[in-house]
Amino acid sequence: MVRELLKRHGTTYAQDAGITLRDTPMPLYQLLVLSMLLSARIRADIAVASARALTDAGMKSPRRMADATWQQRVDALGVGGYRRYDERTSTMLGDGAELVLERWGGDLRRLRGSDDPEGALREVPGIGPMGVSIFLREAQAVWPEYQPYLDSKALQGARKLGLPESAGKLADMVKKEELAPLAAGLVRAALSSKVAEEVRQAAGA
């Protein structure tokens, strides 16, 4: 079941958004932006496309995001189809970029070393508990101290697939480098009964 899930739906959301995740400032910031977009009540594919559009428009770093005009951010979000919350989101992206620059010098690795990284993430406009979970599900690929990070949404997917609802037991089924792809696949199964059924059928369950 896990092998079929990884084969069919084990692409991370960062990969979908064109982010080559490394423990360096730019991709970590791009993941933060993606996490904010994904945590809104909007389809994941639109959030991913909008993250790509912001990058394509040059807003790859907190400095470039902060220097962009409010309208430039709105326009990029529109290209990605992120229209429902575009004006409010444009403001939050600008404010969030300024906070990342002021608080951590534009480098989220400094946040990683703080006493409460999760609490620090929640200070970023638009990043609530769900945004923190999305960020850490993906960041565990480069921040191994968070492994295995399989939150309630991922465990919901495990339940739909008949897999153990235990982060530890699920982690034992994969290599460390497969944990973030596993988390992404489980979330897709949680969000889509079609995905869950496809994987169950492929696994002969």
Side-chain angles (χ1 to χ4, degrees):
M1 189 76 74
V2 168
R3 288 296 116 199
E4 289 296 339
L5 178 66
L6 286 171
K7 183 169 76 175
R8 294 164 182 275
H9 299 286
T11 305
T12 65
Y13 286 95
Q15 287 172 317
D16 280 349
I19 301 167
T20 302
L21 193 58
R22 292 186 292 267
D23 189 26
T24 53
M26 194 177 294
L28 287 170
Y29 174 70
Q30 291 168 1
L31 176 60
L32 183 70
V33 169
L34 175 63
S35 301
M36 192 194 91
L37 298 176
L38 282 168
S39 61
R41 294 185 180 184
I42 201 156
R43 290 205 326 263
D45 59 333
I46 292 176
V48 166
S50 299
R52 274 186 176 272
L54 286 163
T55 299
D56 291 345
M59 296 170 230
K60 300 178 180 181
S61 68
R63 171 48 58 203
R64 297 289 292 275
M65 185 71 76
D67 287 348
T69 67
W70 180 85
Q71 189 61 52
Q72 285 172 327
R73 293 192 293 266
V74 168
D75 291 346
L77 290 166
V79 168
Y82 204 95
R83 295 188 178 87
R84 186 174 174 191
Y85 304 104
D86 55 350
E87 296 185 358
R88 178 168 166 263
T89 300
S90 174
T91 300
M92 288 194 297
L93 284 168
D95 292 346
E98 293 286 1
L99 183 142
V100 171
L101 288 166
E102 291 169 12
R103 190 75 53 86
W104 303 295
D107 187 349
L108 292 176
R109 292 176 300 180
R110 296 180 183 176
L111 172 151
R112 178 185 181 186
S114 68
D115 293 335
D116 181 14
E118 294 181 43
L121 282 168
R122 284 196 297 271
E123 293 178 27
V124 179
I127 298 288
M130 185 185 297
V132 171
S133 290
I134 293 167
F135 182 87
L136 293 177
R137 278 200 310 254
E138 303 264 325
Q140 68 179 316
V142 293
W143 290 1
E145 66 269 27
Y146 282 98
Q147 294 175 350
Y149 197 92
L150 298 164
D151 63 340
S152 59
K153 183 60 73 175
L155 296 180
Q156 183 184 330
R159 183 168 64 250
K160 286 178 74 171
L161 294 170
L163 291 167
E165 293 177 59
S166 157
K169 289 180 180 178
L170 289 165
D172 287 342
M173 297 179 177
V174 297
K175 300 171 185 174
K176 285 186 182 296
E177 61 267 25
E178 293 175 321
L179 281 166
L182 174 65
L186 289 171
V187 167
R188 289 189 178 97
L191 295 173
S192 169
S193 294
K194 184 178 177 182
V195 166
E197 182 59 27
E198 176 199 334
V199 173
R200 281 197 302 266
Q201 287 186 357

